[in-house]
Amino acid sequence: MLRNCTAWPEELARHYRRQGYWADITLYDMLLRSVAAAPDRIALVDGTRRLTYAELQIAIDRLAGRLIDLGFRPLERVVFQLPNSIEFIIALFALLRVGVIPVLALPAHRDQELSHIFAHTTAAGYIVPDLWHSYDYRLLAARLSGLAPSLRSVLVLGEPGPNQISLRNLLARDGGRGDSATDLADFAPPPDEVALMLLSGGTTGLPKLIPRTHNDYVYNCQQCGTIAGFNAGTVFLALLPMAHNYTLGCPGVLGALAHGGTAVIAPDAGIETVTRLIETERVTAISAAVPLIVNWLNVDSSRSCDFSSLRVLINGGAKLVPELRRRVELRFGCTFQESFGTGEGLLNMTRLDDPAEIRFTSSGRPISPADEVRIIDEHGNDVPDGVVGELICRGPYTVRGYYNAPEKDRPAFTSDGYYRMGDMVRRIDGNLYVQGRLKDIINRGGEKISCEEVENYILGHPKIKNVCVVAMPDATFGEKACAFVIPVEGQTVDLDEIKNFLLKRNIAKFKLPERLTVVNEFPISPAGKILRGELRQAAAGNVASVHA
Ligand code: AMP
C-alpha cells in the first residue's frame, strides 16, 4: 500500500474477502463488468452528448495510455479539480486504470486549500478547467506551479495557458499523437492499493486526505447502489459536485455505472433544469441536499410535471427535517431516502421499504452487515439503546487512518481502529438518529466549514483582537457561519470588510462568515474556555448571554 497510509489488519482483510465484501477488483474492473454486460447502453449523458459504455471504455483507455506517455506513474498523486462533465469521469477512470491517484479537490477550492493539498500530497499533476463560473483556473494553476516543486504537468480542460497541456487533445481520437503503444495491463493497480483520495471536512484547519482503496470503494459504490435500488435501468441525475464522495460514490455516478445504469450530468441544480431532465431523460434517482430540496419545495408547482419515472430522491450531507421529507414524497411522487455518512467511510441509509415513520425521522442504518458501529459515553462505554452518545465505527469501507498525517490520526481514531465520526446520535431498533455534533464544524447545506480554519484567517486582520466562528441557523442551508469578533481597541469593523479581507486570502467562498457580531468579550467557562454553545445560542437569536 502507498506509504504513510494505514491498512486494515490482515485478519480483518481476509475476513472481508472471504465474506465477499471485498471483490478484489479495481474500480476500472468494476466498470468493465458493466461494459461487458451492455456495451451499447448509454453510460453518460451531458447536454446533447451521450456516451455508450463501449465508447466510455475506449476514451478511458486512450487517455490512460497518453497519461503514461506523459510520464505519470502508479502511486503518483494528481490533484483533480474538474467540474461535473463527461471528461471528469473519463479522466478519473484513466488515472484509476493506471494506478495514478486522483486527489479530489472541490471546484470551490482556491490557493489556500490547494497549496496545502499540494504540499501534503507532493502531487505530480493538476487537472483543471480553463474557466468555470468566471474563475480562471489556469492562473490558479500557474500560481501553484510556482509554489509546488513536485508539480510537473498541468492538464487543462479547454484552452490551456502557457506551459499547460490540453486535456481535449489528449482525449481526441487522433490528438496529434497517435494511440499510445503502452500496454496498460502493466500498470493495473492491485485492488488493495489506494485508488483515490477524498478531502475530509475536518475541524482542524485545512482538509485532511482520506485514502480510499479500490476494494473498499468498489464495495462502497455497489452496496449503496443496491440499497438505493439501483440496477441496469437506473438513470441517476448528478447535480452536486462529483468531487464529493456523496455524488461520486454514495451511490452517485459510480454506483449507477457499477450497476450498469446511466448517469445524467445536470448543467445546474435549478428546479426547471431538474424537471426538464427528469421528464426527458426519464430520471429514476436523484441525490440532493438540504438547500436544493428547500428551494425546490418553495417553487410554485402549478405546472404539472411528469415525475413518473422517479423512484428515489436521496438527501445527504446534512439532516432533512421530517416535514420536508414528507413533502418530497408528495411533490415528486417517489420514495425519500435519507443518507447519513462520511467521506471517511461509514454510510447509513434508510431503506426504501422502511415504514414512513422511519423514512421521515431516522438517519438510516449502516449499509453493510460488517459495519461495526458503537455509540459510547465520555468514558468509552457503550450506551443503551435510545441514549445519545458519540458514534464511532469501523468496517470494510471505513478508513483506518488519513494519508500522511499521524498527528491527525491520533484524535480521530481509537487504538482499536474505530473512526470517531464526531456526531452525537442515538440508536433505536438499529436505526440511527443524528442529534448533534461534537466537533466545531459548520454544516452549510452539506459543505463543511472548519471554525478553527476561518478563525485563523480572521485573526490575520489587523483590526481584530479575537474571534469565534459558530454556526447560526439558516432556513435554506441549515447552518451558516456567524463570526463574533472583539476588535482591537478603538477600531470598528464590519462584515464586508472581513469578507473582502478573506476573499483576498483566496479561500473557498462557501467558508465566508455571513453575519458578524461585534462584542466586548466572549462568555468564558470557569476553566477559561470560550463557551461556544452560548455563542451559538446568541447567533440563533438569543442574545442575552453575549456582552455586546
Ligand atoms: P463529510 O465527511 O464531509 O461528508 O461530512 C460528514 C458529516 O456530515 C457527518 O459526520 C455528519 O456530521 C454530517 N452529515 C452527513 N449526512 C448527514 C445527514 N443525513 N444527517 C445529519 N448529518 C449528516
Side-chain angles (χ1 to χ4, degrees):
M1 199 180 192
L2 178 68
R3 280 179 51 200
N4 300 320
C5 293
T6 313
W8 280 261
E10 262 175 40
E11 198 181 316
L12 260 186
R14 267 197 302 277
H15 172 71
Y16 293 153
R17 249 187 211 101
R18 256 197 323 264
Q19 298 296 315
Y21 301 120
W22 288 359
D24 267 334
I25 58 169
T26 65
L27 285 157
Y28 178 75
D29 297 332
M30 175 185 89
L31 179 73
L32 281 192
R33 290 183 176 180
S34 298
V35 176
D40 297 328
R41 188 174 295 144
I42 298 296
L44 295 170
V45 177
D46 185 358
T48 55
R49 299 163 63 203
R50 311 178 92 76
L51 217 61
T52 65
Y53 273 94
E55 289 166 339
L56 175 59
Q57 188 200 346
I58 291 168
I60 292 166
D61 289 354
R62 184 185 299 129
L63 180 60
R66 289 179 180 157
L67 291 174
I68 293 294
D69 293 348
L70 270 178
F72 287 106
R73 287 297 172 267
L75 297 186
E76 281 189 320
R77 277 78 56 207
V78 165
V79 178
F80 193 93
Q81 202 183 12
L82 290 180
N84 290 3
S85 54
I86 283 187
E87 287 76 12
F88 180 114
I89 294 298
I90 298 173
L92 184 84
F93 271 108
L95 295 166
L96 293 171
R97 184 182 191 339
V98 292
V100 179
I101 299 173
V103 179
L104 295 181
L106 297 178
H109 284 146
R110 297 290 179 259
D111 302 58
Q112 286 289 347
E113 293 88 3
L114 286 154
S115 51
H116 161 82
I117 293 169
F118 274 104
H120 205 73
T121 57
T122 57
Y126 186 26
I127 307 187
V128 287
D130 51 1
L131 283 166
W132 192 68
H133 285 212
S134 324
Y135 187 78
D136 196 329
Y137 287 79
R138 294 166 297 196
L139 300 178
L140 172 63
R143 289 195 296 277
L144 291 164
S145 298
L147 294 174
S150 60
L151 178 54
R152 293 194 309 266
S153 313
V154 175
L155 277 56
V156 179
L157 180 61
E159 202 52 49
N163 301 319
Q164 298 175 350
I165 299 164
S166 161
L167 183 59
R168 280 239 157 75
N169 280 351
L170 296 179
L171 288 163
R173 192 157 301 150
D174 133 13
R177 302 165 156 261
D179 271 327
S180 166
T182 307
D183 185 354
L184 294 175
D186 293 345
F187 296 90
D192 276 341
E193 190 47 88
V194 174
L196 49 89
M197 291 192 196
L198 302 169
L199 302 186
S200 91
T203 42
T204 49
L206 292 156
K208 297 179 283 255
L209 294 152
I210 308 168
R212 304 292 302 257
T213 64
H214 288 275
N215 259 333
D216 95 67
Y217 213 61
V218 165
Y219 180 58
N220 191 109
C221 307
Q222 287 181 333
Q223 181 66 5
C224 264
T226 301
I227 287 172
F230 280 20
N231 55 37
T234 291
V235 180
F236 173 77
L237 186 61
L239 296 166
L240 296 160
M242 299 190 310
H244 266 304
N245 181 44
Y246 175 51
T247 306
L248 185 68
C250 304
V253 176
L254 299 191
L257 297 177
H259 285 267
T262 301
V264 177
I265 298 166
D268 65 78
I271 188 69
E272 284 88 36
T273 305
V274 172
T275 304
R276 174 175 57 79
L277 288 173
I278 296 174
E279 290 177 332
T280 56
E281 300 294 340
R282 308 294 297 155
V283 168
T284 64
I286 298 181
S287 290
V290 173
L292 295 185
I293 296 173
V294 169
N295 280 336
W296 297 343
L297 292 177
N298 280 314
V299 171
D300 171 38
S301 57
S302 49
R303 175 169 102 73
S304 80
C305 307
D306 178 8
F307 292 144
S308 56
S309 58
L310 201 59
R311 296 275 166 277
V312 59
L313 194 149
I314 309 170
N315 168 67
K319 180 164 43 176
L320 192 72
V321 296
E323 170 59 15
L324 296 188
R325 301 186 194 188
R326 198 182 55 79
R327 282 176 57 194
V328 163
E329 292 205 349
L330 284 177
R331 173 81 184 272
F332 292 94
C334 65
T335 303
F336 174 83
Q337 188 165 44
E338 178 78 349
S339 161
F340 158 51
T342 176
E344 279 82 349
L346 180 72
L347 300 167
N348 303 280
M349 293 165 86
T350 52
R351 302 305 197 259
L352 300 179
D353 58 358
D354 274 341
E357 163 69 12
I358 302 291
R359 288 201 310 280
F360 296 164
T361 61
S362 95
S363 307
R365 55 184 180 274
I367 61 162
S368 170
D371 281 321
E372 299 174 69
V373 171
R374 290 181 60 202
I375 300 163
I376 57 172
D377 62 19
E378 62 275 30
H379 308 296
N381 300 318
D382 294 275
V383 300
D385 244 27
V387 174
V388 178
E390 178 192 353
L391 192 170
I392 62 173
C393 56
R394 58 183 192 187
Y397 62 98
T398 297
V399 295
R400 291 292 180 132
Y402 292 106
Y403 173 55
N404 202 7
E407 75 293 351
K408 304 265 167 68
D409 287 346
R410 252 167 263 129
F413 295 86
T414 65
S415 55
D416 50 356
Y418 283 84
Y419 169 58
R420 294 181 181 281
M421 203 154 146
D423 295 298
M424 298 301 287
V425 306
R426 68 172 95 229
R427 179 163 45 193
I428 302 169
D429 296 335
N431 293 302
L432 302 180
Y433 294 78
V434 177
Q435 303 292 313
R437 256 191 323 265
L438 266 176
K439 38 191 190 183
D440 284 328
I441 280 192
I442 297 162
N443 190 342
R444 190 182 188 277
E447 297 286 12
K448 310 301 183 306
I449 305 171
S450 151
C451 300
E452 184 184 314
E453 182 193 354
V454 182
E455 286 165 4
N456 275 331
Y457 295 131
I458 296 179
L459 279 174
H461 193 288
K463 289 187 185 171
I464 299 294
K465 189 160 120 197
N466 206 350
V467 57
C468 189
V469 174
V470 297
M472 64 177 171
D474 180 84
T476 304
F477 287 87
E479 291 178 358
K480 284 182 171 175
C482 171
F484 285 87
V485 296
I486 304 176
V488 169
E489 211 125 335
Q491 298 287 350
T492 53
V493 65
D494 64 20
L495 181 62
D496 282 343
E497 194 174 348
I498 293 294
K499 276 168 96 170
N500 289 333
F501 173 75
L502 292 176
L503 282 174
K504 287 204 199 95
R505 299 289 309 268
N506 286 320
I507 65 171
K509 259 194 191 156
F510 66 79
K511 297 178 181 170
L512 297 183
E514 287 165 85
R515 191 198 296 162
L516 183 125
T517 305
V518 175
V519 293
N520 297 327
E521 59 188 64
F522 294 138
I524 302 284
S525 76
K529 282 181 91 174
I530 297 178
L531 294 169
R532 287 177 175 271
E534 285 199 16
L535 290 176
R536 272 194 294 274
Q537 274 180 22
N542 168 12
V543 286
S545 57
V546 174
H547 310 286

